[in-house]
Amino acid sequence: MGHGRRTTALRTTAAAAAAAALIAGTAVGLAPAARAAGSVRFVDIAGDGGTVLKANVVTPAGADASRHHPLIVLPTSWSFPQAEYLAQAQKLADSGYIVLSYNVRGFWQSGGRIEVAGPPDVADASRVIDWALANTAADPRHIGIAGVSYGAGISLLAAAHDKRITAVGALSGWADLIDSIYSGRTQHVEAAALLDGTATLTGRESPEAAQVFKDFYASNMDREQAMIEWGAKRSVATYVDQLNKNGAAVFLANAWSDSIFPANQYAGFYGKLTGPKRLELRPGDHATAEISGLLGLPNDVWTDTERWFDHYLKGTDNGVDREQPVQLKSRSGSGYEGYPDWKSVGATRRKLDLAGSTTIHANVDSGADGGVVLLSGLLDQVAKVPPVASIPLLPRRWAAVWQSERYDGTQRVRGTARLHTTLTPTKESGTLVAYLYDVGPLGLGKLVTHAPYTWYGRTPGKAFDVDLDLFSTAYDVPAGHRLALVIDTVDPLYIEHNPSGAQLTFSSPVNDPSYVSVPLREQ
């Protein structure tokens, strides 16, 4: 349990350095677009409570008060400056939109404190729309809002609270904040350290946000329910009925290996939407699929975002409403696959039996892990090289391993794999991390997916069931390969809660066999 706390400071420092590089790179990359955009106007907008929000407005060439134009509002990402969207804003303005991008409160030159998409942030979005309607030729009947990461989360929340918003583009965002950074009741410490570190570098956290991070790192269980309630207030999943009632057309895009906002929580939320909707999932890590578009380069995510707005804000008959609404790109493939809904993804399932009884010792990293926040998913996206482990060499003292037979044909994993097992711990609390690997002929395992799981208050020596959804993915296991399920107790991505000397025994009772259910695309 102390492992995560001892390394938090180091991770925060590394996160801050990484963020500085990302921010500097983005600002430099966007500078040419900003200089070329003659219609850019930098303005101050009074947000909620009068807080000053630094913003820029990009208008179509020749725009004047005699003709209204659809409006797109772009809240910035976490820790990014207001120049973030200038390249895309210019493209959108060239096709007839008024685009207003603003630096969210608490970051850079904007006033206020970082509220982590709290009520003031949601109110800010509405105040920005008010300003645009009063000071530009924006059409009050055709308003869209979009953003990457933090901007995506704020956009979804704004659409649930402001009926004027008719279309949303939420890229690499979250629907459920707690399910994103506290899934399986486990602190995603590298993700949190990245957010906390970059906020310290580029902004000013509110006292409430600072306390939440402090309790998060300290594993303060007395504050767990308060943290969950804090996160629910900042999650559009809490307001899905309100969003559906408002009727906004919602476009969601995320990456399979997003190490901050995993794809599961977006997929689950998508199924609850009743209005016009589209879900796109593709290879990459957090926001890496959108980066080239922010630099003004051709980009699938931004192209489809603009198509979405063209149809729902401008009425363009571009066919986006007639395409299969769920679009997936395999991490090991090249093209997109369309599905009528999320339930149709991986509708066929194949079980990997976890037979026998296996005991492992806790507190030591076996060598199986989920990679490094931001970097591992990017490497998988660019070079198709996910985190790897030599399955035969994993020490069985610290890792439980089960393998399938070699498959005769390609196994096209699509969707959410589910683990069911019986666990008997020697201590009342603990953490396990389950990994699904694609294992080649030489025993090298490539990570397909994984997820953490933590428990408290269990009776030592008494068995209980563990049911865990691994993070959703799309991955093709080649013919001649195997699937392997590995479970250990330590992963640098997460805070682990195994007391010293703990042991975990996994069994498969006759009346309740253990297994991993793997979702497959129909051959």
Side-chain angles (χ1 to χ4, degrees):
M1 188 169 174
H3 169 80
R5 294 198 297 272
R6 286 194 301 271
T7 55
T8 294
L10 177 61
R11 292 193 183 107
T12 302
T13 302
L22 282 171
I23 294 166
T26 302
V28 171
L30 288 173
R35 288 193 296 269
S39 55
V40 177
R41 185 160 54 107
F42 292 89
V43 299
D44 289 350
I45 297 175
D48 185 53
T51 297
V52 174
L53 304 174
K54 297 295 182 175
N56 57 71
V57 184
V58 186
T59 55
D64 56 42
S66 65
R67 178 188 171 195
H68 281 150
H69 297 266
L71 169 69
I72 296 178
V73 174
L74 301 173
T76 53
S77 302
W78 184 273
S79 287
F80 275 67
Q82 63 167 306
E84 176 184 11
Y85 299 117
L86 279 176
Q88 285 300 322
Q90 185 63 53
K91 286 186 176 183
L92 290 166
D94 288 346
S95 61
Y97 294 97
I98 291 174
V99 186
L100 196 162
S101 175
Y102 71 96
N103 224 134
V104 293
R105 66 170 52 223
F107 286 106
W108 295 90
Q109 289 84 20
S110 283
R113 298 273 179 174
I114 299 167
E115 302 289 345
V116 195
D121 292 297
V122 179
D124 283 347
S126 292
R127 299 293 81 75
V128 168
I129 292 172
D130 293 343
W131 187 94
L133 295 178
N135 294 277
T136 74
D139 187 341
R141 300 166 302 167
H142 300 101
I143 298 173
I145 187 167
V148 176
S149 185
Y150 194 44
I154 291 174
S155 294
L156 288 168
L157 286 162
H161 288 84
D162 194 325
K163 296 179 181 180
R164 297 174 297 180
I165 297 171
T166 53
V168 184
L171 318 181
S172 290
W174 76 91
D176 188 325
L177 187 58
I178 295 301
D179 195 38
S180 295
I181 62 172
Y182 192 58
S183 71
R185 217 176 172 187
T186 308
Q187 294 98 325
H188 296 210
V189 69
E190 283 195 2
L194 177 67
L195 298 174
D196 189 16
T198 53
T200 300
L201 181 70
T202 62
R204 304 160 302 282
E205 291 178 354
S206 69
E208 183 183 29
Q211 185 63 48
V212 168
F213 278 118
K214 181 179 179 180
D215 292 339
F216 184 90
Y217 296 136
S219 304
N220 187 347
M221 297 310 297
D222 291 338
R223 297 287 299 165
E224 182 185 37
Q225 187 56 40
M227 181 184 71
I228 290 171
E229 293 172 0
W230 174 88
K233 187 183 294 185
R234 291 158 170 79
S235 300
V236 71
T238 303
Y239 313 102
V240 65
D241 291 341
Q242 202 169 312
L243 179 61
N244 286 333
K245 183 179 179 181
N246 288 350
V250 179
F251 174 82
L252 303 171
N254 208 343
W256 292 120
S257 302
D258 193 315
S259 50
I260 298 180
F261 303 131
N264 292 44
Q265 47 89 35
Y266 247 20
F269 172 70
Y270 172 83
K272 297 176 183 177
L273 295 173
T274 58
K277 59 183 180 178
R278 183 179 176 99
L279 173 66
E280 295 187 355
L281 296 170
R282 49 178 58 82
D285 208 311
H286 182 64
T288 62
E290 294 87 10
I291 286 293
S292 64
L294 293 177
L295 302 177
L297 302 174
N299 180 278
D300 288 356
V301 187
W302 285 103
T303 295
D304 286 348
T305 302
E306 184 172 354
R307 291 177 66 224
W308 190 255
F309 283 138
D310 284 350
H311 182 74
Y312 288 101
L313 295 183
K314 293 165 64 175
T316 304
D317 184 14
N318 55 17
V320 73
D321 57 322
R322 296 188 296 274
E323 296 170 358
Q324 296 275 42
V326 176
Q327 294 286 323
L328 312 182
K329 187 175 183 181
S330 170
R331 289 162 48 205
S332 44
S334 57
Y336 287 87
E337 305 164 359
Y339 298 85
D341 50 45
W342 179 251
K343 291 181 180 179
S344 300
V345 177
T348 300
R349 288 190 167 266
R350 186 168 186 170
K351 286 186 177 180
L352 167 57
D353 293 327
L354 311 180
S357 178
T358 302
T359 298
I360 62 173
H361 294 251
N363 310 117
V364 175
D365 190 343
S366 70
D369 65 60
V372 178
V373 67
L374 281 185
L375 300 179
S376 295
L378 177 61
L379 186 60
D380 187 36
Q381 173 189 348
V382 173
K384 293 185 170 57
V385 179
V388 298
S390 175
I391 304 304
L393 297 181
L394 290 176
R396 271 32 176 193
R397 178 179 176 84
W398 297 301
V401 180
W402 298 266
Q403 295 192 76
S404 71
E405 298 296 324
R406 287 190 176 88
Y407 295 114
D408 293 332
T410 301
Q411 305 296 297
R412 294 180 173 85
V413 180
R414 300 289 186 275
T416 308
R418 297 188 175 95
L419 166 66
H420 173 76
T421 189
T422 298
L423 170 61
T424 306
T426 60
K427 305 289 185 179
E428 67 173 13
S429 65
T431 297
L432 64 84
V433 186
Y435 310 88
L436 189 65
Y437 283 99
D438 160 25
V439 185
L442 299 179
L444 184 66
K446 295 182 178 181
L447 188 64
V448 177
T449 182
H450 79 288
Y453 180 89
T454 294
W455 64 93
Y456 300 95
R458 292 291 180 175
T459 303
K462 185 176 180 179
F464 64 93
D465 289 343
V466 171
D467 290 287
L468 175 63
D469 282 357
L470 307 189
F471 299 138
S472 301
T473 195
Y475 182 95
D476 299 331
V477 180
H481 286 212
R482 308 171 187 263
L483 280 173
L485 191 281
V486 176
I487 299 178
D488 72 3
T489 63
V490 176
D491 189 308
L493 287 172
Y494 311 108
I495 291 180
E496 50 97 1
H497 299 266
N498 299 290
S500 180
Q503 297 180 34
L504 312 180
T505 297
F506 302 95
S507 58
S508 184
V510 174
N511 62 344
D512 186 19
S514 296
Y515 60 85
V516 175
S517 175
V518 181
L520 300 175
R521 180 187 175 192
E522 292 184 3
Q523 303 299 313

